[in-house]
Amino acid sequence: MLELKRALDAKGHCLLEMPSGTGKTTTLLSLIVAYMKAHPLDLTKLVYCSRTVPEIEKVMEELRKLMNYYEKEMGMEQNILGLALSSRKNLCIHPSVSKEREGKVVDGRCYSLTASFVRARHAADDAVPICEFYEGFDAHGKEFPLPPGVYNLDDLKEYGQMKRWCPYFLARHTITHANIVVYSYHYLLDPKIAEVVSKEISKTSVVVFDEAHNIDNVCIDSMSVKITKRLLDKCSNSITILETTISNMKENDSKRLEKEYKRLVEGLRDATIARETDMALVNPVLPSEILEEAVPGTIRTAEHFVAFLKRVVEYIKTRLRVQHVVQESPAGFLRDIHTKVCIDRKPLRFSAERLASLIRTLEISDLTDFSPLVTVSHFATLVSTYTKGFTIIIEPFEDRAPTVSNPILYFSCLDSSIAIKPVFNRFQTVVITSGTLSPLDMYPKILDFHPVIMTSFTMTLARPCILPMIVSKGNDQVAMSSRYETREDTAVIRNYGNLLVEVAAAVPDGIVCFFTSYLYLETIVSSWYDQGIIDQLQRHKLLFIETQDAAETSLALINYIKACDNGRGAVLLSVARGKVSEGIDFDHHLGRAVLMFGIPYVYTQSRILRARLEYLRDQFQIKENDFLTFDAMRHAAQCLGRCMRGKTDYGIMILADKRFSRADKRSKLPKWIQEHLKDTNCNLSTEECVQICKRWLRQMAQPFSREDQLGISLLTLEQLQSEEMQKKIQQRAQGI
Amino acid sequence: MADEDETKEYRWESGYEKTWEAIKEDDDGLLESNVADLVARAKRKRAALKDTGAIQLGMMRHLFVVVDASACMFLQDLKPTRFLCVLKLLEVFVHEFFDLNPISQLGILTTKMKRSEQITVLAGNQKKHIEALQQLKDLSCEGEPSLQNSLERAMNGLKNMPAYSSREILVLFGSLTTCDPGDIQKTIKSLKDNNIRVSIIGLAAEVRICQEIAKKTGGTYNVLIDDHHLKELILNQVQPPAVAGSMEASLVKMGFPGGSPIVNDGTSDSSADHAPAYCLCHIESETSSLMGPNGYNCPQCGSRYCELPVECKQCGLTLVSAPHLARSYHHLFPIKPFIERAQVRETTHCFACAKLFVEAETNVIIIVNFRLCLFYHSLPFLFLLKVYECENCNQIVCLDCDLFIRETLHTCPGCASDPVTAQMKTN
């Protein structure tokens, strides 16, 4: 809290690592809210970005508790408005649209009911359907702001139902004046969405990225484009639709096209004005240079533009017809497109803007069909805008199936700082926090910013409730490792199996195992099956396996939880970087032990990764190996952190690989894990590990209540105010 | 013991263990001793809980002991094996149980191979149970246990017991898994409906389902640290638990058989009482022999028993002797809880055991059987920071004496030795 206050005072960015379950969210919320109350001019808004909808809901719950406390203590209504925002899919209350399952379909149908031209048409002809909730909101909602309070998604829906206003648009509208906004990363990082949603958030805001250990990947994903052959085929279809619509319109209503043409001549002046007055967040897809210019003549008329698009798509199609892997820079690509099909850089740059404008003019209400075309236009804009930090890779086939032709064009962003830069530049304080951010110094480098505060916190605990261990060898003294050379070695696989069987016999309820990849998981499980290890395992616990299929995995998870609940016990085999390792908490009995088989390095043969490593080396002076280790260790830490969700929880963490005990790996674990990782537990054999587990589990099973924590990890008000404790806190603050 | 020798292996073949660590203080912090601290505090808390005064205690108890006999009971982390260790402690337990709860009944079940077996039926005869336990030592442990099956079986046995008795199940559970045929939640629910309290002692680690069963049925769940701790945990179950609210109070018909061994002086009213007869408790066994004139006759139907207390096999009357009832009686009037105080300067000795209150400089923890505390005067141990004061006589005792007084003596030595308060009590 102290550190956070310093960062707020300095109006700088900060990077905080706090173990999960230590009240990270509450701390952030309470301090920032208090700061907002104390300095209402310096700090007007809190934007809290989280990863998933359940996480957003959790944050809202915390906020509600905080507000209730304020009300109780201060005795009056608080003038603070907090709300959560999610996609239309989660907020829609339209009777038929909300039944749709897929987010894209909901978006499309919503657009077809609420777009301005549809509504205009409705005014003329009652038969055209519109959304009554949006109408209600449009008629009345804008004048009456939401009363102060805390609204989560359900509250918004309820409020919407009551007033007959559309909750989605209500929330979007309210963002501009709400004090606290909670939503997903993408609303801020993905340029396409940020443009629409987060544009008008004021400069004096605090932005918090929670669970941000993967933030660089999110940034990169939001800027990267992947084009497959199927996508291009769909593009061709939509271009034909465009053509027919244009010719239709020409016959019926040529005025509108003319109007558009004129507007384009004037250029994107409005946007320029907006940016100059510092109204909006800079959109990286829309670089400032093009704002000052008018849309080039070659693509101003609709037919010309469509023809232009056609050429681009055809050109990409020819590029995909390659027999070997091609990698080139955006500049090379531009040169090539210029020589082959005579397309300049400039019109390419405008293609995204131009397409959006065209779709608006043509009054196409079903946007879902056009998403492939939009993707291609984004690609065109990006490739012509950025010459640095991106690369183009064309692969004619997948590495795993070299005979099947499946050409893919990757336009891959190598620099994670591009997407997040506007956020850092615009907002006065950006807080990046997670349970596992170690090593901290890597993040400022790859995100290219200068934090004023960078701290890793540990937990104060009344008992040693995590037990990290590094198991390096089996009972037969054969070293365990997932190194490429020893990967197929049956002795290593057998040792891994024995480790799991023995741990399963000693640890109650749920055990979660993480492997480095799906491929490795499959080979290991099949050879365990041959060696009879699976049979042994099933004597103790039931076995569940995560697969690449999301439905199958969630079914496995449900049954895993069931098995843990009724005492049979279960083992879940899953993959680091998979769905299980990222979003799912195994608290209390669901995860008494986590085993990490091998170090989860990324697939180093991937060309995208290689390109990125090269870029990092050239631009930021980060050695390839450093980055790979960093990436592997943060995923390992993320997996390990799954089992620990609070101070009353306890869990064993077993790192089964010889290489973990090396200093360069060990020092990259989060501080709160390192603190408990004693030197004596760094080079254990299977049997030693099991002995330690058993003893530790018995200690942990002793009754443990709230009073036991008092004074150590939980302080009463008197204790907090006591002189001794104050001194301790001071010391600790200086120690950091 | 022959079977013990069989299972014994060479030291280097047996498991890797650090026996010294059980009593060692941790180098890097107080965490290890913290855990021991927690144990002591829990002990005290349990005692305090029972002492809340006017709670009704179940004087008549019907208890099923379920012993896990699955493969994991052959592990050697308790010496010589878990199973043998548990059986041995159970013998002590059975003895103590009938000592403190003379008019209660006990039955023993085992569970292995996903099934549950009945070893002894509910009965008040401790000899029979101890014999059965001794025979169990030859049983081989195999397969997985089934919590649900054994609970169901115990429940069937307890369901029809009269409502005024306290129905309990004690599970000694070594396994970390349970292999159940159905939904165990239903079993838990019907246990709850039947007012059956399930207490579980885990031998390995905290298992969620056990925790849940114990919590929902109002029992306790504990996991041992070592065999001393296990003994303590098992013996804690000897104390009758507080009654869960809904138990009805009712009059119970009991028989008091004429107890004194008879001399044939003709004073007895009927000669049939003393005629040689088969003892009904042993009549089924092969080795039964005609009993002499000594024994207890049921006042209702005249059947003869060699031992009390017992439920008459003929007419179902509970036969007890007056001392038995008297021994159960003290449960109804527990002494008031002592007040916990920080060490007082002027008193340096424990009033009960006359031991010095030593400042806790060494954090060495010796878990001593508190029962023996009185006889360990000379041991220079203990980390006493807290002392306990009797409300009535203001005498100060140590933690171990506090527990001893509460659980064994049932009378405060301070009050008893003070003529004034003792007088008051008798008045």
Side-chain angles (χ1 to χ4, degrees):
Chain A
M1 223 181 217
L2 201 65
E3 303 293 332
L4 187 61
K5 168 84 165 48
R6 280 186 199 151
L8 289 177
D9 283 340
K11 299 196 176 164
H13 310 314
C14 70
L15 200 62
L16 303 172
E17 181 183 65
M18 291 186 261
S20 41
T22 50
K24 191 167 50 190
T25 314
T26 316
T27 314
L28 287 167
L29 285 177
S30 50
L31 182 74
I32 293 172
V33 169
Y35 203 93
M36 269 194 311
K37 283 180 164 297
H39 308 275
L41 293 177
D42 293 343
L43 192 65
T44 51
K45 195 195 273 291
L46 162 65
V47 182
Y48 197 104
C49 303
S50 202
R51 232 173 10 183
T52 56
V53 174
E55 274 166 10
I56 291 173
E57 295 283 333
K58 261 190 260 168
V59 175
M60 291 320 279
E61 265 331 288
E62 293 288 337
L63 184 63
R64 192 185 307 265
K65 269 187 224 156
L66 180 72
M67 285 303 144
N68 286 343
Y69 184 74
Y70 261 114
E71 240 157 68
K72 216 174 75 195
E73 292 292 304
M74 317 270 277
M76 53 173 174
E77 285 275 309
Q78 294 301 308
N79 193 24
I80 279 189
L81 175 64
L83 88 163
L85 176 65
S86 181
S87 64
R88 286 185 177 89
K89 184 183 147 229
N90 294 324
L91 275 175
C92 187
I93 52 171
H94 188 276
S96 70
V97 178
S98 58
K99 297 261 165 20
E100 297 288 346
R101 289 268 174 83
E102 235 175 287
K104 260 190 188 164
V105 181
V106 176
D107 285 355
R109 287 199 54 187
C110 181
Y111 184 77
S112 69
L113 291 175
T114 57
S116 54
F117 58 85
V118 177
R119 295 173 59 221
R121 232 183 275 164
H122 174 77
D125 175 12
D126 274 343
V128 178
I130 52 164
C131 174
E132 57 157 322
F133 296 103
Y134 181 76
E135 292 303 314
F137 166 72
D138 199 49
H140 311 288
K142 283 184 177 157
E143 290 102 63
F144 303 102
L146 225 60
V150 178
Y151 298 87
N152 64 16
L153 300 180
D154 285 337
D155 294 340
L156 278 173
K157 273 192 198 169
E158 214 170 88
Y159 188 80
Q161 281 287 12
M162 193 181 75
K163 295 259 184 185
R164 318 285 301 162
W165 293 348
C166 174
Y168 175 74
F169 284 97
L170 178 67
R172 285 252 314 256
H173 175 71
T174 316
I175 286 183
T176 46
H177 61 265
N179 304 88
I180 298 164
V181 183
V182 183
Y183 54 38
S184 149
Y185 286 171
H186 297 278
Y187 288 112
L188 212 50
L189 289 181
D190 194 331
K192 290 155 246 164
I193 312 175
E195 171 77 352
V196 187
V197 178
S198 315
K199 196 157 77 171
E200 283 162 17
I201 292 177
S202 77
K203 207 169 150 41
T204 51
S205 308
V206 177
V207 178
V208 177
F209 289 104
D210 198 358
E211 304 287 339
H213 44 272
N214 268 344
I215 197 165
D216 56 321
N217 291 342
V218 176
C219 294
I220 284 176
D221 285 348
S222 69
M223 298 290 285
S224 299
V225 184
K226 186 171 131 187
I227 298 176
T228 60
K229 198 147 187 203
R230 261 184 71 210
L231 192 111
L232 287 176
D233 291 341
K234 276 191 200 154
C235 280
S236 309
N237 286 342
S238 18
I239 288 176
T240 357
I241 298 175
L242 274 183
E243 270 175 342
T244 47
T245 333
I246 290 170
S247 57
N248 278 346
M249 188 170 276
K250 258 219 160 133
E251 282 163 22
N252 302 333
D253 190 4
S254 55
K255 242 188 242 156
R256 197 129 38 126
L257 286 171
E258 268 169 46
K259 227 201 254 162
E260 187 201 16
Y261 184 88
K262 270 184 203 139
R263 209 180 60 231
L264 292 172
V265 175
E266 281 179 23
L268 306 160
R269 209 160 293 154
D270 297 347
T272 330
I273 294 165
R275 189 163 297 177
E276 272 164 6
T277 49
D278 202 27
M279 286 277 287
L281 185 71
V282 181
N283 182 350
V285 178
L286 198 67
S288 353
E289 305 96 71
I290 69 167
L291 293 177
E292 284 142 26
E293 301 167 45
V295 174
T298 43
I299 56 169
R300 252 179 243 167
T301 35
E303 293 104 331
H304 291 173
F305 179 61
V306 170
F308 167 82
L309 274 183
K310 221 177 186 173
R311 275 207 328 265
V312 173
V313 170
E314 285 307 316
Y315 169 72
I316 298 174
K317 268 189 191 166
T318 54
R319 287 303 305 269
L320 281 182
R321 255 178 248 129
V322 284
Q323 292 306 314
H324 56 274
V325 180
V326 179
Q327 179 175 1
E328 63 182 0
S329 67
F333 182 83
L334 287 176
R335 202 178 318 118
D336 196 54
I337 199 172
H338 183 72
T339 51
K340 289 237 175 81
V341 284
C342 303
I343 290 180
D344 278 336
R345 185 172 173 184
K346 204 169 162 199
L348 266 183
R349 238 190 227 181
F350 284 88
S351 60
E353 248 341 81
R354 182 68 187 88
L355 181 67
S357 151
L358 183 66
I359 289 175
R360 260 200 310 273
T361 321
L362 294 182
E363 304 185 344
I364 293 163
S365 51
D366 196 0
L367 277 181
T368 30
D369 292 345
F370 283 92
S371 59
L373 197 57
V374 173
T375 314
V376 171
S377 73
H378 274 296
F379 163 69
T381 308
L382 282 171
V383 80
S384 52
T385 311
Y386 294 99
T387 45
K388 255 172 71 177
F390 285 85
T391 189
I392 296 167
I393 295 169
I394 304 171
E395 285 182 350
F397 42 72
E398 274 184 58
D399 277 347
R400 271 181 218 155
T403 47
V404 186
S405 159
N406 180 23
I408 299 175
L409 182 141
Y410 295 101
F411 177 67
S412 153
C413 174
L414 304 175
D415 188 352
S416 47
S417 62
I418 293 175
I420 204 169
K421 189 168 251 155
V423 178
F424 280 127
N425 287 343
R426 176 162 176 80
F427 300 114
Q428 64 176 25
T429 305
V430 176
V431 181
I432 292 181
T433 175
S434 171
T436 48
L437 276 181
S438 294
L440 285 171
D441 50 346
M442 190 63 98
Y443 285 89
K445 271 193 207 161
I446 57 175
L447 296 179
D448 195 22
F449 74 109
H450 300 285
V452 287
I453 302 287
M454 205 159 70
T455 318
S456 174
F457 296 99
T458 61
M459 273 191 280
T460 319
L461 293 167
R463 54 177 192 171
C465 66
I466 58 172
L467 179 67
M469 286 185 287
I470 298 173
V471 179
S472 57
K473 50 192 183 275
N475 285 339
D476 53 4
Q477 302 300 317
V478 174
M480 283 199 253
S481 174
S482 67
R483 274 171 63 211
Y484 190 70
E485 295 82 39
T486 59
R487 197 167 268 202
E488 307 292 322
D489 191 347
T490 46
V492 172
I493 295 177
R494 192 184 56 235
N495 269 336
Y496 273 148
N498 283 338
L499 175 68
L500 181 57
V501 169
E502 292 205 17
V503 168
V507 175
D509 299 329
I511 295 179
V512 190
C513 304
F514 290 101
F515 291 84
T516 51
S517 65
Y518 285 107
L519 200 69
Y520 191 49
L521 171 71
E522 278 161 27
T523 49
I524 282 208
V525 169
S526 68
S527 60
W528 277 356
Y529 189 79
D530 295 338
Q531 292 170 356
I533 284 172
I534 299 281
D535 282 344
Q536 284 178 43
L537 195 60
Q538 275 178 330
R539 237 173 268 158
H540 301 292
K541 290 186 194 303
L542 302 181
L543 191 66
F544 297 96
I545 298 178
E546 180 191 6
T547 58
Q548 267 155 320
D549 183 357
E552 226 171 73
T553 305
S554 59
L555 193 69
L557 264 176
I558 290 169
N559 285 316
Y560 170 81
I561 292 169
K562 213 166 150 190
C564 291
D565 277 342
N566 64 24
R568 181 70 182 90
V571 176
L572 180 67
L573 304 182
S574 56
V575 171
R577 295 161 202 279
K579 182 183 165 220
V580 171
S581 71
E582 280 301 326
I584 293 155
D585 291 348
F586 296 98
D587 50 352
H588 295 282
H589 65 295
L590 296 183
R592 280 290 177 236
V594 176
L595 279 91
M596 182 83 234
F597 291 117
I599 300 182
Y601 279 119
V602 274
Y603 177 58
T604 44
Q605 302 304 308
S606 145
R607 289 184 187 83
I608 301 171
L609 179 75
R610 280 214 211 132
R612 188 170 174 211
L613 286 177
E614 225 163 81
Y615 182 81
L616 284 175
R617 190 188 57 207
D618 297 344
Q619 294 296 314
F620 301 114
Q621 288 81 46
I622 299 170
K623 275 191 226 143
E624 280 113 332
N625 220 356
D626 278 356
F627 183 78
L628 284 176
T629 314
F630 152 76
D631 188 63
M633 289 314 285
R634 74 173 163 182
H635 279 104
Q638 186 59 26
C639 296
L640 294 181
R642 292 294 98 198
C643 72
M644 187 60 206
R645 296 280 131 192
K647 286 185 175 180
T648 51
D649 201 356
Y650 61 89
I652 298 171
M653 302 169 173
I654 296 175
L655 298 154
D657 194 310
K658 197 178 78 177
R659 293 170 292 170
F660 276 118
S661 51
R662 285 191 209 150
D664 65 321
K665 310 279 189 306
R666 235 178 100 188
S667 61
K668 287 196 171 68
L669 282 172
K671 206 169 156 194
W672 58 278
I673 295 181
Q674 265 186 59
E675 201 179 51
H676 290 274
L677 183 60
K678 293 179 225 152
D679 284 338
T680 45
N681 288 354
C682 279
N683 188 12
L684 299 174
S685 71
T686 303
E687 198 176 0
E688 286 166 327
C689 154
V690 170
Q691 287 296 336
I692 294 173
C693 283
K694 278 187 183 164
R695 218 162 47 77
W696 183 81
L697 279 170
R698 285 185 180 162
Q699 284 176 350
M700 284 305 113
Q702 299 312 312
F704 182 68
S705 62
R706 208 182 139 83
E707 292 86 63
D708 298 325
Q709 294 185 40
L710 273 179
I712 304 173
S713 57
L714 203 67
L715 302 172
T716 58
L717 189 62
E718 294 86 58
Q719 278 169 331
L720 187 65
Q721 283 165 347
S722 75
E723 210 171 308
E724 190 189 354
M725 197 42 86
Q726 289 291 341
K727 239 184 243 163
K728 229 186 199 170
I729 292 170
Q730 283 293 328
Q731 263 176 9
R732 195 155 298 173
Q734 279 157 9
I736 292 167
Chain B
M1 276 178 230
D3 53 319
E4 230 185 276
D5 291 332
E6 276 168 24
T7 55
K8 209 173 199 170
E9 38 182 34
Y10 288 110
R11 195 66 196 86
W12 58 84
E13 285 175 343
S14 65
Y16 180 91
E17 34 188 310
K18 298 178 178 173
T19 42
W20 60 91
E21 282 196 355
I23 50 162
K24 209 183 107 185
E25 179 196 359
D26 213 332
D27 310 329
D28 49 11
L30 298 159
L31 299 168
E32 196 96 21
S33 53
N34 259 350
V35 173
D37 233 7
L38 299 186
V39 177
R41 226 173 304 167
K43 229 194 308 187
R44 172 80 195 151
K45 207 187 292 165
R46 253 192 336 266
L49 191 80
K50 281 187 197 134
D51 297 333
T52 34
I55 45 165
Q56 194 186 355
L57 291 170
M59 271 171 63
M60 263 188 103
R61 303 169 71 187
H62 291 96
L63 173 75
F64 262 112
V65 179
V66 179
V67 184
D68 185 355
S70 59
C72 67
M73 292 302 278
F74 261 150
L75 291 181
Q76 301 194 317
D77 49 358
L78 298 173
K79 299 295 168 215
T81 65
R82 278 187 189 177
F83 194 57
L84 293 178
C85 180
V86 165
L87 289 182
K88 209 158 207 173
L89 287 173
L90 270 183
E91 278 177 35
V92 181
F93 170 75
V94 169
H95 186 79
E96 295 270 341
F97 181 81
F98 284 112
D99 198 40
L100 269 178
N101 310 282
I103 51 174
S104 301
Q105 295 192 1
L106 191 100
I108 299 174
L109 299 176
T110 59
T111 171
K112 66 173 184 179
M113 306 275 283
K114 302 167 194 163
R115 262 180 294 239
S116 167
E117 278 170 43
Q118 186 137 22
I119 305 298
T120 57
V121 289
L122 272 184
N125 188 334
Q126 58 165 303
K127 264 189 200 154
K128 226 168 150 185
H129 294 304
I130 290 180
E131 254 167 47
L133 283 174
Q134 273 157 358
Q135 275 163 18
L136 268 186
K137 280 181 184 164
D138 300 326
L139 191 78
S140 69
C141 298
E142 52 195 335
E144 291 120 342
S146 168
L147 213 47
Q148 193 186 14
N149 281 337
S150 36
L151 288 179
E152 291 272 1
R153 185 172 267 246
M155 185 163 67
N156 286 337
L158 289 172
K159 237 188 318 204
N160 302 321
M161 288 300 134
Y164 52 79
S165 74
S166 134
R167 308 160 186 181
E168 295 163 53
I169 301 173
L170 170 65
V171 187
L172 292 160
F173 203 57
S175 169
L176 294 174
T177 170
T178 154
C179 223
D180 296 334
D183 186 5
I184 196 157
Q185 298 292 343
K186 277 184 200 147
T187 314
I188 298 176
K189 202 167 167 289
S190 53
L191 281 169
K192 219 176 143 192
D193 293 343
N194 282 314
N195 261 331
I196 297 173
R197 181 198 314 261
V198 184
S199 292
I200 301 174
I201 296 176
L203 304 184
E206 182 183 349
V207 182
R208 175 56 161 242
I209 193 70
C210 298
Q211 177 89 304
E212 198 178 321
I213 293 173
K215 203 171 158 196
K216 285 198 176 152
T217 59
T220 55
Y221 178 55
N222 285 299
V223 178
L224 63 90
I225 289 180
D226 52 19
D227 44 354
H228 293 295
H229 189 216
L230 174 63
K231 188 170 182 185
E232 210 165 291
L233 290 177
I234 290 185
L235 291 180
N236 271 335
Q237 299 294 331
V238 169
Q239 292 283 326
V243 169
S246 65
M247 202 147 96
E248 61 193 69
S250 60
L251 291 171
V252 186
K253 196 174 171 188
M254 281 186 183
F256 296 90
S260 55
I262 305 301
V263 254
N264 266 341
D265 54 357
T267 47
S268 139
D269 46 345
S270 109
S271 56
D273 277 2
H274 311 299
Y278 283 107
C279 161
L280 273 191
C281 22
H282 293 101
I283 203 156
E284 284 145 19
S285 63
E286 299 279 307
T287 55
S288 71
S289 59
L290 216 53
M291 276 177 75
N294 297 352
Y296 305 97
N297 289 358
C298 170
Q300 194 163 271
C301 65
S303 331
R304 176 162 300 187
Y305 295 94
C306 59
E307 224 183 26
L308 290 181
V310 74
E311 190 174 342
C312 178
K313 283 198 178 170
Q314 294 283 353
C315 58
L317 190 67
T318 313
L319 306 178
V320 290
S321 69
H324 287 143
L325 264 191
R327 260 192 283 159
S328 298
Y329 185 70
H330 70 75
H331 293 312
L332 294 182
F333 300 100
I335 48 172
K336 276 190 192 159
F338 289 2
I339 307 153
E340 189 174 270
R341 292 198 188 288
Q343 186 174 344
V344 203
R345 277 282 143 217
E346 51 266 29
T347 36
T348 52
H349 292 78
C350 167
F351 181 79
C353 63
K355 196 176 57 208
L356 264 178
F357 291 135
V358 194
E359 290 267 0
E361 275 164 44
T362 52
N363 249 334
V364 181
I365 289 131
I366 303 171
I367 299 170
V368 180
N369 181 3
F370 50 79
R371 250 149 248 282
L372 299 178
C373 164
L374 272 189
F375 312 106
Y376 273 68
H377 302 246
S378 51
L379 269 184
F381 66 92
L382 279 184
F383 55 110
L384 285 180
L385 276 178
K386 293 274 161 46
V387 294
Y388 301 91
E389 182 181 334
C390 172
E391 266 184 8
N392 287 332
C393 62
N394 297 336
Q395 294 297 353
I396 306 244
V397 297
C398 62
L399 170 67
D400 284 349
C401 287
D402 176 38
L403 290 170
F404 179 71
I405 289 166
R406 198 160 312 291
E407 302 187 357
T408 313
L409 277 186
H410 304 291
T411 174
C412 167
C415 302
S417 61
D418 187 344
V420 183
T421 45
Q423 198 66 38
M424 261 164 51
K425 222 175 180 180
T426 46
N427 288 346

